């Protein structure tokens, strides 16, 4: 009887031979289990294969496993929009992968679309810059080359110091912090990008110093010369490790060149950025 029932359930061709199983015959529940093992870009690719995979690709349990462990904190405490939690997890993931401003637009948070890693940026207006209110030294200039409307531009100064601080509940992992800087002031002329290097001076004499400390006692310091005029460069400040996802990590960081034997100038300060270290490696290899 079992053989008869089994044979009756098998689709056959015109010659009576059993048809070979097709990819579209996979139940959605099985397809979903397969998709759960993949990275987000691979899930989106397989969703185009057939209806079974397309339907399975929207399963909440798949996308909740791709969201960072602190996604509820990000939605409720950082973005302050608990209604986002009513979305399907796939929609929530997509929304968090876009830049989401907070702190009056001075900072942004987003997820790396390939890994779900948490990324942060802090604009020049979220940093403490010595002399920023004195227009003899600094100005805020409009730009289309930043995720923010303006960047801080240094014309000339003796004591150069930029400090930043952020306290955040990061998921477990290793993170890298960068300053995004450019020597020279870029603009557009007749539709073409040009860079004014008029005020660039002093950076070749001595290196700048980068420092990073955390509330867990981690400390990093490095020095390097600023170079590559006319191009935005990500300067690595250092890495830090988060081991407790339930505690806030306080990070203090700085960029200084305080040798007052000479002036320095012609520098644009865009932002400080924090990436998971694995994501940072990909970004730097493409820049």
């Amino acid at each position: 009887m079992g053989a008869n029932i089994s044979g009756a359930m098998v689709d056959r061709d015109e010659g009576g031979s059993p048809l070979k199983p097709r990819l579209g015959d996979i139940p959605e529940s099985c397809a979903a289990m397969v998709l759960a093992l993949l990275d987000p870009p691979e899930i989106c690719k397989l969703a185009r294969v057939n209806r079974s995979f397309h339907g399975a690709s929207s399963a909440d349990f798949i996308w909740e496993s791709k969201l960072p462990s602190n996604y509820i904190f990000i939605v409720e405490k950082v973005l302050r929009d608990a209604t986002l939690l009513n979305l399907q997890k796939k929609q929530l993931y997509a929304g968090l992968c876009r830049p989401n401003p907070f702190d009056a637009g001075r900072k942004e948070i987003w997820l790396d679309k390939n890994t779900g890693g948490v990324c942060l940026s802090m604009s020049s207006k979220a940093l403490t810059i010595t002399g920023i209110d004195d227009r003899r030294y600094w100005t805020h200039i409009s730009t289309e080359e930043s995720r923010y409307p303006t960047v801080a531009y240094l014309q000339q100064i003796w004591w150069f110091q930029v400090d930043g601080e952020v306290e955040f509940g990061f998921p477990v992992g290793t993170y890298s912090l960068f300053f995004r800087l450019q020597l020279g002031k870029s603009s557009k002329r007749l539709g073409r990008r040009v860079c004014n290097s008029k005020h660039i001076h002093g950076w070749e004499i001595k290196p700048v110093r980068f420092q990073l400390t955390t509330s867990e006692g981690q400390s990093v310091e490095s020095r390097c010369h600023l170079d590559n005029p006319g191009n935005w460069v990500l300067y690595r400040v250092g890495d830090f490790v988060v081991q407790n996802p339930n505690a806030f990590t306080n990070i203090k960081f700085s960029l200084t060149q305080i040798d007052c034997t000479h002036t320095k100038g012609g520098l644009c300060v865009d932002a400080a950025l924090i990436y998971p270290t694995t994501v940072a490696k990909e970004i730097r290899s493409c820049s």
Side-chain angles (χ1 to χ4, degrees):
M1 180 182 296
N4 290 337
I5 293 175
S6 176
M9 295 176 65
V10 175
D11 292 331
R12 298 177 181 275
D13 60 21
E14 294 179 355
S17 300
L19 293 174
K20 293 182 179 180
R22 295 165 296 181
L23 193 60
D25 296 328
I26 299 177
E28 275 193 21
S29 59
C30 294
M33 296 297 290
V34 172
L35 294 177
L37 302 175
L38 305 178
D39 293 329
E42 296 171 323
I43 295 172
C44 294
K45 288 180 182 178
L46 281 180
R48 298 194 292 266
V49 170
N50 57 41
R51 290 184 179 180
S52 179
F53 276 91
H54 179 75
S57 68
S58 297
D60 271 356
F61 83 90
I62 294 177
W63 291 99
E64 185 155 22
S65 69
K66 309 307 175 186
L67 288 164
S69 60
N70 67 338
Y71 78 89
I72 294 178
F73 160 75
I74 293 174
V75 170
E76 292 185 340
K77 303 300 182 182
V78 180
L79 303 181
R80 301 182 183 278
D81 187 0
T83 61
L84 294 174
L85 296 176
N86 298 327
L87 298 173
Q88 287 187 317
K89 294 299 185 288
K90 181 178 181 180
Q91 294 175 308
L92 177 60
Y93 186 92
L96 292 180
C97 284
R98 293 190 289 268
N100 292 278
F102 67 103
D103 190 18
R106 302 188 310 159
K107 300 172 185 173
E108 286 186 350
I109 185 169
W110 69 98
L111 305 184
D112 174 67
K113 64 180 180 180
N114 295 321
T115 65
V118 176
C119 306
L120 285 176
S121 74
M122 293 151 277
S123 71
S124 60
K125 291 187 176 181
L127 305 175
T128 302
I129 302 176
T130 300
I132 189 65
D133 295 324
D134 193 327
R135 293 182 63 85
R136 293 175 299 172
Y137 307 128
W138 289 92
T139 56
H140 287 286
I141 59 174
S142 299
T143 182
E144 296 178 354
E145 299 182 350
S146 169
R147 62 178 62 243
Y148 301 102
T150 64
V151 298
Y153 178 67
L154 172 64
Q155 298 181 84
Q156 178 174 288
I157 205 166
W158 293 90
W159 184 288
F160 172 72
Q161 183 168 351
V162 180
D163 295 304
E165 181 176 2
V166 63
E167 189 170 72
F168 195 80
F170 289 96
V172 170
T174 303
Y175 296 83
S176 301
L177 191 146
F178 299 86
F179 275 107
R180 187 172 186 259
L181 311 172
Q182 178 184 260
L183 288 175
K185 181 168 57 174
S186 56
S187 60
K188 283 190 176 181
R189 185 178 302 163
L190 300 177
R192 298 182 60 183
R193 183 183 189 271
V194 294
C195 184
N196 184 342
S197 58
K198 177 182 177 181
H199 297 122
I200 300 176
H201 71 282
W203 306 107
E204 76 287 355
I205 299 175
K206 287 192 175 181
V208 298
R209 181 174 69 171
F210 298 104
Q211 288 181 296
L212 180 153
T213 60
T214 73
S215 50
E216 281 71 40
Q218 301 172 67
S219 179
V220 182
E221 180 177 327
S222 62
R223 298 172 187 267
C224 81
H225 285 278
L226 303 186
D227 56 11
N228 203 2
N231 294 285
W232 288 104
V233 179
L234 285 176
Y235 290 93
R236 192 189 201 110
V237 178
D239 298 347
F240 62 93
V241 178
V242 175
Q243 296 179 324
N244 184 358
N246 299 315
F248 282 79
T249 301
N250 181 274
I251 304 107
K252 295 180 180 179
F253 52 94
S254 64
L255 162 62
T256 58
Q257 216 291 20
I258 54 178
D259 182 346
C260 293
T261 61
H262 65 282
T263 62
K264 61 284 296 181
L267 177 70
C268 284
V269 177
D270 175 22
L273 302 104
I274 297 176
Y275 297 104
T277 299
T278 52
V279 175
K281 290 178 180 177
E282 294 294 325
I283 292 172
R284 298 203 81 191
S285 66
C286 296
S287 60

